[in-house]
């Protein structure tokens, strides 16, 4: 694959099929961009209608070209592209860019054409970008093979965009901000080459230090996951994912013809693979600037320097939004700052060096903070006041921050008075932000790469089969043979218990006397529930009775449950009445697993009980779970602080036990892809005591890989 993509991005010869003398057409723009961009290879325009173009001979078909062709760039109506691929195959072309729109984004007919293009491509061993894309740029060889307006500047950032409009917008903005790219790729509908292919390829290039992605959909989540996990160990991958809302997801479908997945699963995927997610396009711009101009912070201890109190407070508030605190300055650092700052300086972080701060005061302050071991990065705010000297101060920012291993982010809050200073910084490798909030967001998200990279490096995807695998397999096989796909609480608990997940004592009684005997063995008080695959909402049917403390009450409850079950559903299959140990807990939690056609099996953890869907205090991840990510699932919820520390009369919970349960559930769903849905709700916890007191499993007759990670 790599050799073919090298042929695509580093061609010695290019045929432009659809090159034209009509200046308003895409084929003309691509031709002009290539020949005027400085590309040194051979260029062959192809068009049946004309014989020459801008001094170049025009061939009437690609098979007329006497020389070998590495790359074909195609800008003709899409219905003719499958036939053209036969000619590419005959000519021995191994790479193509299909600019042509009209594929699956237009509906079923376009989808069929796209599928035919892919079939022909695989037949002839051709890799291609698109369709419905703008092309690409490789600044290393001065190849501007797209119909955007401007040639990108040279740099070490790679950009991949699923949106053509955003592709051109970022190229234009980057030129203004003096940000360069090594590669810029418009990926289009991804009929063949997709995000995973490009992350793998670009991640292996020395001329790429950062990969930026604008994403609307992800057809190959597994390939993306494996590629991203490999690449982020050496360089950051940043994604701006559109389609958070239901409306946004529908727009993504109509725009690209792809199925947009659930947004919370995208966030979980990015976290698990070490990818940093940009909240919006502005933030993507900011991160582009930060990663291309500054070192990555090694920690999240940031200091804010300002010549105005208000902006410093704004920065501190934004740190709080991310759940982190500004760096605590050491006594030594405070003493050094106090030796030259005015007595009224803030004596805290943010470091307010007062409105009359001169360039020299900024210099001394920054020198102290760059040397401070407790500081991982600096945000420096400049506001225009009467005594401010913006340009000279900007020069100080550049001089002091150059060559440091800590990132430096400048915030210039103002307009015309700061214009010259802003331009100086932008052209000298210092990222500039308009607001403190922008700078804090950027600082934290760049640190997030460091943090997530460490998690991926610690993560283990080794899967060990459960020790009671065979016993569970027998249960599941029997249920599937009987056509019973929704398991009762009793059968669910049997399976959970076999995989090490603690359940409260649970027996199935088929007679009243048997129920009495089980209650004596378990010990009062007990709970009675109907055991029926046809009555899943047992409480609604009046088939759950709690607090049963003696034999007489138990006999009455047993008969009442059977009667209520018959009234609720006359033909219900009744396997008996469940007799359970009644347990109490300080917290109700939920652990779940479900299947998505894009992301396959995923897991959920969080606050449980009857209000789980209302509070939505849950986190998501994918099996298999190692200890590091099982901990992350627990720590990512709001209830975590209560679980860890306790609250009033509620005891702290043994977090490690919750982690072990999550790992066991993960092992179960990896071992058995037939488990399409699993729900443990509530999982009652009190200190070291944890019980799955209710649960259900839904099965499907499948036998296939059910996780995107292995």
């Amino acid at each position: 694959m790599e050799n073919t993509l090298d042929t695509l991005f580093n061609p010695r010869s290019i045929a432009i099929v659809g090159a034209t003398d009509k200046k308003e057409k895409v084929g003309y723009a691509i031709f002009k961009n290539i020949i005027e961009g400085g590309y040194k290879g051979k260029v062959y325009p192809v068009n049946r209608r004309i014989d020459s173009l801008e001094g170049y001979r025009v061939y009437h078909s690609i098979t007329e070209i006497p020389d070998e062709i590495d790359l074909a760039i195609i800008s003709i109506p899409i219905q003719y592209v499958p036939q053209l691929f036969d000619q590419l195959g005959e000519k021995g072309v191994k790479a193509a860019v299909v600019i042509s729109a009209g594929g699956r984004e237009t509906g079923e007919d376009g989808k069929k054409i796209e599928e035919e293009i892919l079939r022909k491509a695989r037949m002839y061993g051709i890799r291609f970008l698109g369709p419905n894309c703008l092309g690409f740029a490789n600044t290393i060889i001065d190849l501007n093979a797209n119909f955007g307006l401007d040639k990108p500047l040279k740099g070490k950032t790679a950009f991949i965009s699923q949106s053509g409009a955003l592709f051109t917008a970022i190229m234009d903005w980057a030129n203004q901000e003096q940000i360069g790219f090594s590669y810029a790729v418009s990926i289009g509908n991804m009929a063949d080459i997709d995000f995973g292919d490009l992350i793998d390829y670009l991640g292996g290039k020395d001329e790429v230090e950062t990969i930026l992605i604008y994403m609307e959909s992800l057809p190959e989540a597994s390939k993306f996951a494996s590629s991203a996990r490999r690449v982020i160990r050496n360089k950051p991958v940043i994604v701006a994912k559109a389609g958070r809302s239901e409306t946004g997801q529908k727009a993504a479908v109509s725009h690209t013809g792809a199925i947009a997945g659930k947004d919370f699963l995208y966030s979980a995927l990015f976290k698990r693979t070490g990818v940093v997610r940009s909240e919006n396009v502005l933030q993507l711009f900011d991160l582009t600037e930060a990663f291309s101009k500054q070192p990555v912070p090694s920690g999240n201890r940031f200091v804010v320097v300002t010549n105005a109190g208000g902006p410093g407070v704004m920065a501190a508030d934004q740190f709080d939004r991310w759940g982190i605190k500004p760096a605590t300055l050491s006594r030594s650092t405070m003493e050094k700052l106090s030796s030259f700052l005015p007595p009224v300086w803030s004596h805290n972080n943010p470091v307010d060096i007062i409105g009359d701060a001169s360039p020299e005061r900024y210099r001394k302050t920054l020198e102290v903070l760059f040397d401070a071991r407790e500081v991982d990065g600096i945000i420096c705010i400049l506001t225009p006041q009467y005594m401010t000297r913006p340009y000279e101060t900007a020069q100080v920012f550049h001089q002091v921050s150059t060559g440091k291993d800590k990132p430096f982010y400048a915030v210039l809050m103002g307009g015309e008075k700061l214009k010259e200073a802003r331009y100086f910084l932008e052209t000298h490798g210092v990222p500039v932000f308009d607001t403190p909030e922008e700078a804090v967001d950027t600082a934290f998200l760049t640190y997030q790469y460091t943090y997530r990279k460490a998690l991926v490096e610690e993560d283990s995807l080794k899967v060990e089969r459960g020790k009671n695998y065979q016993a569970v397999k027998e249960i599941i096989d029997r249920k599937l043979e009987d056509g019973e796909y929704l398991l009762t609480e009793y059968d669910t608990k049997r399976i959970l218990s076999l995989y090490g997940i603690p359940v409260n004592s649970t027996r199935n009684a088929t007679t009243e006397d048997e129920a009495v005997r089980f209650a004596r063995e378990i010990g009062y008080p007990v709970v009675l529930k109907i055991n029926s695959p046809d009555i899943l909402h047992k409480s609604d049917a009046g088939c759950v009775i709690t607090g049963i403390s003696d034999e007489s009450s138990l006999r009455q409850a047993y008969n009442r449950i059977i009667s209520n079950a018959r009234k609720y559903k006359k033909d219900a299959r009744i396997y008996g009445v469940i007799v359970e140990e009644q347990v109490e807990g300080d917290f109700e939690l939920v652990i779940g697993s479900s299947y998505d056609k894009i992301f396959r099996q995923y897991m959920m953890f969080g606050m449980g009980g009857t209000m789980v869907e209302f509070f939505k205090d849950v986190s998501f991840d994918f099996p298999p779970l190692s200890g590091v990510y099982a901990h992350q699932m627990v720590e990512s919820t709001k209830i975590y602080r209560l679980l860890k520390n306790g609250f009033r009369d509620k005891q702290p919970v043994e977090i490690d036990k919750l982690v072990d349960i999550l790992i066991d559930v993960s092992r179960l769903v990896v071992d058995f892809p037939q488990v399409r849905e699993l729900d443990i709700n509530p999982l009652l916890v009190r200190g070291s005591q944890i019980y799955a007191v209710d649960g259900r499993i839904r099965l499907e007759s499948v036998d296939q890989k059910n996780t995107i990670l292995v």
Side-chain angles (χ1 to χ4, degrees), residues 20 67 100 153 159 184 196-197 227 323 359 495 505 554 563 569 615 643 674 683:
T20 177
D67 304 319
S100 317
L153 300 174
F159 176 55
D197 293 318
S227 298
I495 290 173
S505 296
L554 184 138
S563 174
K569 188 172 175 53
F615 288 110
L643 298 175
Q674 301 93 332
L683 182 76

Side-chain angles (χ1 to χ4, degrees), residues 385-510:
Q385 302 187 38
Y386 182 78
M387 61 292 292
T388 304
R389 289 148 56 191
Y391 187 76
E392 291 90 337
T393 304
Q395 289 178 308
V396 166
F397 289 175
H398 171 247
Q399 292 162 5
V400 176
S401 63
T402 299
K404 299 296 193 300
D405 59 358
K406 299 175 183 179
F408 178 83
Y409 312 103
V411 180
L412 302 190
M413 298 187 69
E416 189 63 31
K417 289 184 175 62
L418 300 177
K419 187 175 181 180
E420 190 179 10
R422 180 183 298 274
Y423 181 77
F424 174 85
L425 292 173
E426 287 173 346
T427 55
H428 285 78
V430 178
V432 183
F433 304 96
D434 293 326
T435 68
E437 290 89 348
E438 273 186 77
V440 170
D441 289 349
T442 303
F444 181 78
L445 288 171
T446 51
Y447 157 71
Q448 194 176 82
Y449 164 66
T450 303
Y451 178 71
R452 291 186 171 183
K453 173 187 173 184
L455 292 179
V456 170
E457 290 174 340
E458 191 179 345
D459 189 23
S460 170
L461 296 181
K462 184 179 180 181
V463 180
E464 294 182 359
R465 178 168 283 182
K467 63 181 180 180
N468 289 317
Y469 171 85
Q470 194 58 41
V472 172
K473 184 177 185 301
E474 290 172 4
I475 296 172
I476 289 176
D477 287 348
R478 186 167 61 253
K479 293 295 180 182
L480 290 173
E481 286 171 9
D482 294 342
E484 194 170 308
Y485 298 101
L486 289 173
L487 303 192
T488 66
E489 176 188 337
Y490 180 72
D491 287 324
T492 297
K493 282 185 170 181
R494 287 172 63 203
I495 290 173
L496 294 177
S497 181
L498 285 167
Y499 261 64
I501 297 140
V503 301
N504 54 328
S505 296
T506 303
R507 313 284 179 84
N508 182 54
T510 55

Side-chain angles (χ1 to χ4, degrees), residues 576-588:
V577 174
I578 298 170
V579 183
E580 292 183 2
E581 173 190 9
Q582 181 160 320
V583 294
E584 305 295 335
D586 290 331
F587 302 99
E588 291 187 342

